Amino acid sequence: MTIIVYITSVTFKKELHTQQGHIETVLKAKQLPYQFIDIALDVSKKDEMREKCGNETAVAPQIFNDDYYCGDYKTFQQAVEEDRVLSFLKVV
């Protein structure tokens, strides 16, 4: 099991960097194995991300447990606030 997070390193939105950093902080705190895939480095990864989450207009960050789609940052943040991040990530 690896948590896969599609991110982008190219953005002018500080909020996006904050969101991506928050995801990484939570994953480290929970000691979960994770991998970031940067869609800015490879356009095919953006297409892959959108196909996997079933949304042609999806933007990073998008979160998966291996190939299982967990959700976007908004749903991740809600899970963190409700102390159910492990169930959100399909770890338990």
Side-chain angles (χ1 to χ4, degrees):
M1 176 231 39
T2 300
I3 304 302
I4 299 170
V5 184
Y6 287 86
I7 63 159
T8 182
S9 59
V10 179
T11 181
F12 296 107
K13 295 182 180 181
K14 181 174 173 50
E15 178 183 17
L16 185 57
H17 286 290
T18 302
Q19 291 173 353
Q20 293 172 167
H22 181 227
I23 293 169
E24 184 171 27
T25 299
V26 170
L27 295 176
K28 283 182 178 179
K30 298 291 185 184
Q31 298 180 335
L32 297 170
Y34 67 92
Q35 173 187 4
F36 279 0
I37 297 175
D38 190 347
I39 64 172
L41 299 178
D42 184 349
V43 177
S44 71
K45 296 298 182 185
K46 179 171 70 174
D47 296 335
E48 174 184 285
M49 173 193 76
R50 288 177 170 175
E51 183 179 327
K52 285 174 67 175
C53 66
N55 181 346
E56 294 178 357
T57 60
V59 296
Q62 297 291 330
I63 305 163
F64 296 80
N65 183 335
D66 291 323
D67 285 332
Y68 182 84
Y69 180 57
C70 299
D72 60 7
Y73 179 75
K74 184 178 177 180
T75 55
F76 172 82
Q77 181 182 28
Q78 184 176 359
V80 170
E81 290 173 2
E82 295 173 359
D83 197 27
R84 56 178 188 80
V85 71
L86 294 179
S87 63
F88 168 79
L89 295 171
K90 308 298 184 214
V91 174
V92 292

